[in-house]
Amino acid sequence: MKGLRLVSAAVLLGAGMVAGMWMGAPAISAQSASGGRVAIIDVQRVLARSAAGVAAREQLEKEKAAMQKQVDGQRVELEKMRDELEKKGQLLSAEARREKQEALERKVRDTRRLVDDLQASLQKKEEALLSKVLQDLSGLVQKVGKEKGYAIILERQRAGVLYAAAEADVTDDVLRAYDDETKKAKK
């Protein structure tokens, strides 16, 4: 719920900035009218560079490779069945050819179903890992925001940030804090 409020606030703030620019009003600066500072974070960069993000990606890649082996095995079986039907199909009776054709079609359907199931499973695992990392990050973003005195921290991509001064970017601070916390948790 807090993440949803943060995104909603970011969208409203971004909309206000854009509307203000179009109407000739001054844009909100890093030091807002109420005295609160605004910062941004690039969550994608944190996910790509943090130890936990890298570990999650590696885990997903291992699972993807195992799933790919399974699919490749099914495809090899399909190719064998197809080749056998093409080579020996003319020699078989109509009934035997029809049975082999039906078996091949069943195998194709089963393989498609397997691929769909594996893709759904991989996507679910990816979402679970991402959700865990984002949940951990949420608390750290709040901690860094309070420590550094920011009134609001926007996510770079979702908020549609078109420009942000380098000093307003707290990504590296959150990344360091996240890696530190991950190391502490492992000990």
Side-chain angles (χ1 to χ4, degrees), residues 84-103:
E84 185 179 328
L85 187 61
E86 286 177 8
K87 291 177 182 174
K88 298 179 182 177
Q90 301 300 328
L91 304 174
L92 298 173
S93 68
E95 180 68 22
R97 192 174 334 116
R98 185 182 57 75
E99 285 176 8
K100 289 217 179 258
Q101 182 66 36
E102 287 174 358

Side-chain angles (χ1 to χ4, degrees), residues 81-148:
M81 290 176 75
R82 205 172 272 136
D83 288 345
E84 185 179 328
L85 187 61
E86 286 177 8
K87 291 177 182 174
K88 298 179 182 177
Q90 301 300 328
L91 304 174
L92 298 173
S93 68
E95 180 68 22
R97 192 174 334 116
R98 185 182 57 75
E99 285 176 8
K100 289 217 179 258
Q101 182 66 36
E102 287 174 358
L104 177 63
E105 289 170 2
R106 272 193 306 276
K107 188 73 168 174
V108 166
R109 279 193 307 271
D110 291 346
T111 301
R112 285 185 183 145
R113 208 170 295 129
L114 174 68
V115 168
D116 290 345
D117 290 348
L118 291 175
Q119 285 176 338
S121 172
L122 188 64
Q123 184 175 355
K124 193 178 279 187
K125 288 176 183 179
E126 183 177 13
E127 288 171 359
L129 286 170
L130 181 64
S131 175
K132 165 85 172 87
V133 171
L134 291 176
Q135 184 178 6
D136 293 346
L137 278 180
S138 177
L140 287 171
V141 168
Q142 290 177 16
K143 180 181 173 186
V144 168
K146 286 177 185 174
E147 287 174 358
K148 302 247 180 203

Side-chain angles (χ1 to χ4, degrees), residues 1-2 21 41-42 48 58 63 65 71 73 81 97 109 113-114 120 138 140 145-146 149 163 169 175 177:
M1 194 65 170
K2 289 179 185 176
M21 284 186 260
I41 182 170
D42 187 342
E58 287 173 356
E63 291 185 29
V71 170
M81 290 176 75
R97 192 174 334 116
R109 279 193 307 271
R113 208 170 295 129
L114 174 68
S138 177
L140 287 171
K146 286 177 185 174
Y163 168 78
D169 190 336
L175 182 58

Side-chain angles (χ1 to χ4, degrees), residues 3-19 152-155 157-161:
L4 182 58
R5 280 186 269 169
L6 182 63
V7 171
S8 297
V11 169
L12 289 173
L13 181 62
M17 288 175 64
V18 171
I152 188 167
I153 297 178
L154 304 173
E155 203 280 313
Q157 280 80 24
R158 287 190 216 173
V161 175

